[in-house]
Amino acid sequence: MKSANLFGVGLVLTASLIAMVPAMAQQWPERPITLIAPAGAGGGTDATARLLALGLEQQLGQPVNVVNQGQGGGVVGFTSITTAEPDGYTLGVIYNFAHYSPMGQGDFDAADMTPIGQFNFDPAGFHVRTESEWANVTQALDAIKADPGAYDIACGGGCGGSWPLAFASLLNTYEVDLSQVRMISGQGAAAALQEMVAGGFDVVPSSVPEAGSLIEAGLVRGLAVFGSERLAAFPDIPTLEEETGLVLELGAWRGLVGPAGLPEDVVAKLKTALEAVYNDPEFQNAMTERGFGLRWRDADDFGAFMAEEETSVRELVRVLGL
C-alpha cells in the first residue's frame, strides 16, 4: 500500500512538472535584455537602438540595456550578437554587414542571425560641389561611364561601407566598368564633403542629412537621392527614378536580430513587440525628428532581404577588388 502511495505521488509530481514546462517557456523575458549596437555612442545606430530599447521595454516589461560595441568598425558587436547564447537575452540592432566577411574583416553571415524585423532605411545621396559641370545625375553617370578612371569618388570611411557600396551598385546598374572606377577611402563622410568643397573629390555619396549644412550653405549640390521619394527636408533633390528611370532604393538600413537558433516562442514575442514599437506614433515621431527614415519589413521579408543583400554586396566587393 505504501508503494502504491509513493507511485501515486510520483505521478502527480511528474504531471505537475510537465504542466509547468509551457508556463515556464511563456515567462520570457524574466530578466533584463542586452541590446548590442555594433557602433560607438552618439551615432545613428546608437541613437536608433536607444529609441528602440525604450519601446521594447514597454512592450516586454523588462529593462532593455543598449551596449555599444563599435570596435573594429562594428566587427566586435556583430561577433557578440552572432555568438551569443540563443536564449533571447542578447539581441542586436544591425546595419549593412555583408561586406565584412568577403573583405576578411569578420566571420559572420546572415545565416548566423535570427531576423526579427527591419525598422529603418536612410537613402544614399549623390553629392557634388556647386561648381560641378554636371547639372543632373544623368550627366554625371554618363561622364563616369565614358571615362570611369577620370574621377575621384570618396568612400567617406572604408569603401565597404553603406554609402560607397550604394554608389557602386548604382554604377553597376548603369553598366559602368567598376574595375576602372577610382574610389578613395578616408575619415568619414563629413571630412570627404569638406574635401570635395575644396576641390579634392568629384563625388561624395553619403546620406543627404550629412551634406545638409553644406547644401544649405550653397557649397554642395545634391543631384539625386537613392530612395523611392524625395526627402521632406530636401524637396529640391530628385530621386534616381525621376532623373534616370532606374527604380533603385540604396543606402543604409537597420533592423533587429538575435543569434541563430532563437526559440520560436521568443521569436514570436519579439516580432509582436517590434511591430508594436514600429507602429507607435511616439517612436515614429522620435525617429523622424532625428532625421532617420522609417521602413518596415517583417521577419520573413527582412530575412530574405538580408540574404539578397549578402549576395549582391559580395559580388560588388569582388568586382571592386576590395
Side-chain angles (χ1 to χ4, degrees), residues 278-292:
Y278 181 85
N279 289 321
D280 186 337
E282 288 190 16
F283 174 77
Q284 296 203 357
N285 290 338
M287 289 280 287
T288 302
E289 287 171 1
R290 289 162 176 77
F292 298 113

Side-chain angles (χ1 to χ4, degrees), residues 14 42 47 64-66 146-147 182 220 229 237 239 291 298 321:
T14 301
V64 178
N65 302 312
V66 176
D147 194 356
R182 190 160 65 236
V220 167
E229 57 188 26
I237 303 178
T239 67
D298 65 19

Side-chain angles (χ1 to χ4, degrees), residues 32-322:
I33 295 167
T34 295
L35 182 61
I36 294 174
T45 299
D46 172 62
T48 57
R50 292 182 188 281
L51 291 175
L52 192 65
L54 289 174
L56 290 175
E57 285 184 354
Q58 296 175 5
Q59 293 296 322
L60 298 173
Q62 288 287 350
V64 178
N65 302 312
V66 176
V67 175
N68 297 98
Q69 293 188 350
Q71 303 92 323
V75 171
V76 171
F78 274 98
T79 302
S80 294
I81 295 165
T82 54
T83 60
E85 185 72 23
D87 55 10
Y89 290 102
T90 301
L91 306 172
V93 168
I94 66 162
Y95 47 82
N96 313 55
F97 67 89
H99 61 285
Y100 287 113
S101 182
M103 292 178 68
Q105 297 172 340
D107 185 22
F108 43 81
D109 301 295
D112 298 318
M113 296 175 254
T114 298
I116 307 301
Q118 180 183 340
F119 62 90
N120 162 251
F121 171 69
D122 294 317
F126 191 124
H127 303 115
V128 299
R129 56 182 168 273
T130 303
E131 298 81 9
S132 172
E133 61 182 347
W134 300 325
N136 56 59
V137 73
T138 301
Q139 289 182 6
L141 290 171
D142 286 342
I144 295 170
K145 184 175 182 177
D147 194 356
Y151 303 99
D152 292 330
I153 300 164
C155 291
C159 289
S162 308
W163 311 127
L165 285 181
F167 188 80
S169 183
L170 168 62
L171 296 184
N172 190 51
T173 302
Y174 210 74
E175 299 182 346
V176 174
D177 184 356
L178 290 181
S179 67
Q180 301 301 311
V181 173
R182 190 160 65 236
M183 300 184 75
I184 303 167
S185 61
Q187 300 301 313
L193 286 161
Q194 291 287 352
E195 188 170 344
M196 181 177 71
V197 169
F201 290 114
D202 297 292
V203 181
V204 175
S206 73
S207 72
V208 180
E210 284 178 297
S213 61
L214 293 173
I215 291 173
E216 291 170 359
L219 299 173
V220 167
R221 192 149 39 89
L223 296 186
V225 60
F226 297 18
S228 59
E229 57 188 26
R230 297 190 183 203
L231 300 178
F234 301 91
D236 294 332
I237 303 178
T239 67
L240 281 174
E241 184 176 4
E242 289 178 81
E243 290 290 303
T244 67
L246 296 174
V247 182
L248 293 173
E249 287 191 299
L250 304 166
W253 54 264
R254 297 179 180 92
L256 180 67
V257 303
L262 281 185
E264 290 184 7
D265 62 318
V266 172
V267 173
K269 282 190 175 182
L270 283 169
K271 288 179 182 178
T272 300
L274 179 61
E275 187 166 6
V277 172
Y278 181 85
N279 289 321
D280 186 337
E282 288 190 16
F283 174 77
Q284 296 203 357
N285 290 338
M287 289 280 287
T288 302
E289 287 171 1
R290 289 162 176 77
F292 298 113
L294 292 159
R295 172 60 57 82
W296 176 250
R297 281 190 172 100
D298 65 19
D300 291 339
D301 287 344
F302 186 37
F305 169 77
M306 288 166 61
E308 290 168 4
E309 171 123 329
E310 194 167 77
T311 299
S312 62
V313 166
R314 290 181 178 184
E315 175 61 17
L316 285 175
V317 168
R318 183 189 68 78
V319 174
L320 288 168
L322 298 177

